[in-house]
Amino acid sequence: MSENRTIDSELLDALMVPARQADYPRDSRAFVRIDTSLRVYWHVLFDICPELLELSGPDGLSIFRPFMAWADARQLSMNWTFYIWVYQWLLESEFREQVTRELAQSLTAASAARWANGDRSTNGGIVLGCTDFPELIAGWKCHTANGGREIECLELEDPLPMPKGRFGYFTVPKFELDNFPGWSEIPR
Amino acid sequence: MVCGHMCRRIMCTFVSKYSAVIETLKESYNENQNHQETKHQRTWSCRHVLWFVLRSDWRELSKASLLPLPAFIPGAEAAFSFVMFCFSSRGVVMQIGLNFTLGNTLDLVQRLIREGEVDYCELLIDNFLHVPPHELAGAFDCPIGFHIMFSKFLESDPEYLESMAARLRTYIDVLKPMYVSDHVARFNHNGRQLYHLAELDYRSEYDAVRQRVERWQEKLGQRLYLENYPSIMDSGCDAPGFFERITQETGGGMFFDASNAVCAHHNCGLALDAWETLIDSTPHFHVGSYNYSILEPKVVLDTHDGELSSDTLAFLERYKERFDKPGATMTYERDVNIEYDAIVADLRKLRAIFGDAKAVSHV
C-alpha cells in the first residue's frame, strides 16, 4: 500500500471515537470520513431524543463526546442498547440531577425502537423494564405490509417483578405478551 | 428481451441470446425444462417474458403503427410475432422501479404502481420478515426485486445466516423476485456496530469474502447480486477488479449502483469507465441521490435524500446502451424526503434517458 493511499479499514478504530479524529490531518479526506461516521451516531442520538439537547446545549457535544469515550472504554456494542447506556452514563455524569423519569422512558423507548427496526431474529417483540419507573416499554417489529414498528408503554394489572439490575429485557416470540420468561441482563 | 433466462439455478450456464429466447416462446415452454425446476416456474417464466415484452415495447409499437396490436392475452403465435417485432424494433427494455423500505410508504408506492410511474418495486425484504409472505405479495401489483439489508452475511455466524436464509427462501418462493441482492460492506468492527457502514479492504479480505459469498448464495438458493459501495477512501479504486473477480469465481452477479460509482469517482478518482465490464455483465442497477459532507474537503455521500444529480444522469445517458438490456432493472432509491411529486420527477428523468416520458399502465 503506497504512502499516499488511505483505505477505510485503516480508519475503523476511529469511526466511533471522537478523540481519534484528531489523529488525522484536519484537511484530509480521512478526517472528513471519520466525521461523517461520528455524525451518524450524533444524529441517531439527538434526532431520536432531542430533549437531551436541553441538557447539553444545542451542539450536544458535552454529552456526545464523553459518552462516546466512555462507550469506547467499555467496548459497548452500540447495538439496540445504545440509548440505555446513554441513560446509564447520564446517571454517572454532571447531568445526573437533571435526568427525569420522562427522559428515562424516552431513552428506553428509543432502545426498544432500535431493536424493533434492526433485530433480525425470529422474535416479534422486546420488553424492557427499568427500576426507575414502573411501566414496561415494549417494542414490536413491523408485521403488516403497511405498518411499521410500534412502541408501547405498558402498565400491567399484575406487575412483573423488577429486574435485578437497573434494566432488564426479554423477547417475545410473536406479537402477544402472554408469557414472562424472566429478565435478561442488558448486554454490552 | 428478457434477462437471459428465468432459471433459478446458481451458476447455470444457459446463455442468453435473443434467438434462444424467441425459440423458447415459439415452442412449448417445456423446451426450457433443463433450466427450470418446476412446471410452475416454467409457466411463470414464460408469462414473465411476455409481460416484460409487452410492458417494454408497447410504447414503441404504438408509435410505429406497423402492426395491429394483439389483444390481451395474445395467443402463442400472435405473441411470437409481437415479440419478433419488438425485437426487431430494438424497443426499450429498461424497467424502472422504486425501493420500498418502510410500511408507511405503501400507499405512495401503490399509487406509483397504479399510475404507471414504476414498473416494479424493490423490497428491502428483511424489513418485512414478520409480514406474512402472501400478504406482502398481495400488496404489490407488479414484479418485485429483493434487496437484503441486515444479513451482514460477511460477518454473521452460521446459525443466524441459516435461520435468515430459511425465512428469506419462503419469501422468495412466494414473491418470486426478479433478483436477490445484498450489501458488500462492513457492519461491525471488533464487535461494535458501525452506524455508517465501512468499505472492505478488497485486497486483503478477498478470500474470506469469497467464501462468505459462496456460502450465502448457496443458502439462499439464488444467484446473489452484490452491490458496490459508495467509496470515500482509496479502497474504492480496487472495487471494480474485486467485483469482476468475485462474480466470475462465485457465479454471483454484480448489482451495480450507478450513483455509488459517481460517489467513488468524486471521492477517490475512480474513472466511471472502470465499471464498463461490470455494467455489461448485469441487468440490475440502483440509482439515487448524493449529497456533500458538512466539513471540507467535501466528500460525496450516498444519501438517497433528494434529486438525482446531473452527473449521475449524464453517466446513465452516456452508458445507456450498456445499461439497457433484456431484463434490465433500474431501482430508484429514495429513503429521505419521500414526496410523491419529487420522486415522480426523478423517475421520469430516468424514463427519458431510457426511452420514454411516462410509464404505461400495467398489462
Side-chain angles (χ1 to χ4, degrees), chain B residues 313-329:
Chain B
L313 292 168
F315 176 36
L316 297 180
E317 177 69 49
R318 191 161 70 251
Y319 283 94
K320 67 178 174 184
E321 299 290 326
R322 292 182 185 269
F323 283 106
D324 200 10
K325 57 177 73 76
T329 62

Side-chain angles (χ1 to χ4, degrees), chain A residues 28-136:
Chain A
S28 67
R29 194 165 11 123
F31 188 96
V32 178
R33 193 282 179 256
I34 295 165
D35 185 75
T36 300
S37 173
L38 294 171
R39 282 179 191 272
V40 180
Y41 292 100
W42 190 100
H43 281 288
V44 165
L45 180 58
F46 294 108
D47 288 359
I48 305 301
C49 297
E51 58 267 55
L52 288 170
L53 296 174
E54 296 171 22
L55 273 58
S56 67
D59 66 7
L61 292 181
S62 59
I63 289 178
F64 183 71
R65 292 184 73 96
F67 168 75
M68 294 296 278
W70 185 86
D72 182 55
R74 286 153 184 77
Q75 290 290 288
L76 298 182
S77 66
M78 314 299 267
N79 65 2
W80 61 269
T81 61
F82 176 65
Y83 303 93
I84 290 175
W85 288 110
V86 168
Y87 177 59
Q88 183 62 46
W89 176 84
L90 285 169
L91 294 178
E92 299 175 18
S93 74
E94 65 190 272
F95 303 104
R96 67 177 74 81
E97 301 299 329
Q98 298 170 260
V99 177
T100 62
R101 175 193 279 197
E102 288 73 26
L103 180 56
Q105 288 178 326
S106 176
L107 290 165
T108 307
S111 270
R114 192 158 181 84
W115 182 93
N117 277 340
D119 183 81
R120 292 296 186 258
S121 71
T122 56
N123 293 307
I126 191 169
V127 177
L128 296 168
C130 177
T131 54
D132 293 341
F133 51 85
E135 300 88 358
L136 303 177

